Amino acid sequence: MTSAAGAHIDISQRLNGGLQRIAAAQSRDAVLSVASSVAHDLARADGVCALPKDYSHYLISTAEPPEVQSLHNGPSLQRLVASAAQANEGVVKHRPEMELELPAGRRLRAETVLTIPLDLASAYLAIGFFWRAGQAPNSEQIALLPSLAWATSMALQARHKDEELQRSREHQRTQTVELQHRVRNILALVRSIIRRSSYTGESAEDFSSHLEARVSALARTQGSLAVDGRVGADLEDLIRAELTANAIRDSQFSISGPPVRLSQRATETMALTLHELTINALKFGALFESTGQINIDWSIDQTATPPLLHWRWR
């Protein structure tokens, strides 16, 4: 076997090993770190630059010392990689004065950049390899780097999908815990409603009527919470919903006060309170007569910690 053939086999083995290491990397930073290490091993490159399609930032990984950064503000390396990618040019460009400002006041001077444009299948516009002063790739090294660019791009995209999946699972777990907590609270409220209805009911029919009305008020509240998501209801919306559910005409009530968004628990408590006040007004108070009037207003005491809601039902 000739020395040239042996060298070719050695490079192929190192390339294959590098591609496997990139594919096996478990995070975005690990992908870039491995890619810069492999590029340094195969082509003496000093680092890798990955440019996302949205141009919002760029990722840079240096080989020595190993370091991954996410940078912004359109520095010269980002602009150079972007211009080559837009022109669909996989070319070597020289910029003797090109400097990158890294965090903590560090600066990196690069002189030669090879850009590998990526097509629509990638989440990245291009992968760039850069060399510092006095270094430049030869034709054999340049031929190796597109494989690294594509492997890096696909691995970055795979790790991004993994991170999205992990976030989705965490969100699902959080929602499950919140749902369990909310169900326990609702069951506690229902038990309280049943006990209270049994105290005030003079007959089975009276008990059934009170219980059904109170559970209906709670159900309306749960409906508004489901629409609003993790936050509670708007106070004015909650009041209007209860009055409307009991067929009270707009001319029989007035509502005034600043916007207030209640918590989930406060929404449930306030809904039951409003229900009791409304039923009492219909049976024994102002709404017993068609000419009766209810005035509801509130204010917020911002001097208290936390702020206090003062409201009046007259």
Side-chain angles (χ1 to χ4, degrees):
M1 180 181 294
T2 65
S3 58
H8 179 73
I9 292 174
D10 177 61
I11 291 175
S12 297
Q13 290 174 341
R14 287 158 56 198
L15 175 61
N16 289 335
L19 296 179
Q20 291 173 9
R21 288 170 55 200
I22 291 172
Q26 295 300 306
S27 68
R28 184 201 69 177
D29 285 359
V31 169
L32 286 169
S33 181
V34 172
S36 61
S37 173
V38 174
H40 187 264
D41 177 51
L42 293 176
R44 305 304 302 168
D46 286 294
V48 173
C49 169
L51 181 63
K53 284 185 175 176
D54 62 4
Y55 292 86
S56 60
H57 63 290
Y58 75 113
L59 303 168
I60 182 172
S61 175
T62 55
E64 294 182 349
E67 189 172 24
V68 179
Q69 305 282 349
S70 179
L71 305 180
H72 301 267
N73 303 323
S76 55
L77 177 59
Q78 182 183 17
R79 292 194 298 271
L80 191 62
V81 172
S83 63
Q86 288 173 336
N88 198 34
E89 296 177 344
V91 297
V92 175
K93 293 190 176 182
H94 300 276
R95 292 290 188 274
E97 300 302 322
M98 185 168 61
E99 283 192 341
L100 310 178
E101 186 170 352
L102 302 177
R106 293 181 55 239
R107 300 189 69 83
L108 172 66
R109 175 170 293 186
E111 182 175 288
T112 304
V113 178
L114 170 65
T115 299
I116 310 297
L118 304 171
D119 66 18
L120 296 177
S122 171
Y124 289 81
L125 187 70
I127 300 291
F129 301 91
F130 59 89
W131 291 260
R132 296 182 187 176
Q135 297 290 329
N138 58 40
S139 59
E140 292 180 355
Q141 293 171 334
I142 291 174
L144 298 172
L145 296 179
S147 298
L148 287 186
W150 274 105
T152 301
S153 169
M154 289 187 290
L156 286 172
Q157 195 161 338
R159 297 296 80 76
H160 178 70
K161 294 295 184 184
D162 290 343
E163 290 168 5
E164 284 187 335
L165 180 60
Q166 183 63 29
R167 285 193 295 268
S168 176
R169 287 173 175 168
E170 289 295 334
H171 180 64
Q172 188 175 32
R173 279 194 288 267
T174 301
Q175 285 187 316
T176 300
V177 171
E178 289 178 352
L179 180 60
Q180 291 171 340
H181 180 69
R182 187 167 167 181
V183 168
R184 285 195 296 268
N185 286 341
I186 292 172
L187 290 175
L189 276 172
V190 170
R191 286 195 295 268
S192 176
I193 289 171
I194 293 171
R195 283 197 301 270
R196 182 167 183 179
S197 299
S198 66
Y199 296 153
T200 58
E202 297 179 358
S203 65
E205 292 77 11
D206 194 28
F207 167 76
S208 176
S209 176
H210 279 291
L211 179 60
E212 182 179 357
R214 287 164 175 164
V215 171
S216 295
L218 181 60
R220 287 194 296 274
T221 304
Q222 296 306 311
S224 67
L225 290 174
V227 171
D228 288 333
R230 297 181 62 181
V231 297
D234 177 83
L235 177 57
E236 181 174 348
D237 291 344
L238 197 63
I239 294 170
R240 289 188 182 278
E242 181 60 35
L243 297 177
T244 301
N246 286 280
I248 299 172
R249 300 188 305 274
D250 289 348
S251 60
Q252 289 184 282
F253 64 87
S254 67
I255 302 174
S256 64
V260 176
R261 175 69 67 174
L262 302 173
S263 67
Q264 283 189 0
R265 186 158 189 173
T267 295
E268 293 168 338
T269 303
M270 182 64 79
L272 294 174
T273 302
L274 288 167
H275 172 72
E276 297 300 322
L277 288 168
T278 302
I279 296 303
N280 286 341
L282 285 167
K283 288 186 174 182
F284 313 112
L287 299 180
F288 184 76
E289 300 289 344
S290 61
T291 57
Q293 178 77 24
I294 291 176
N295 299 310
I296 307 166
D297 63 84
W298 61 87
S299 62
I300 303 174
D301 181 3
Q302 297 287 1
T303 63
T305 304
L308 291 177
L309 170 67
H310 298 282
W311 71 291
R312 295 184 296 179
W313 174 289
R314 294 179 293 166

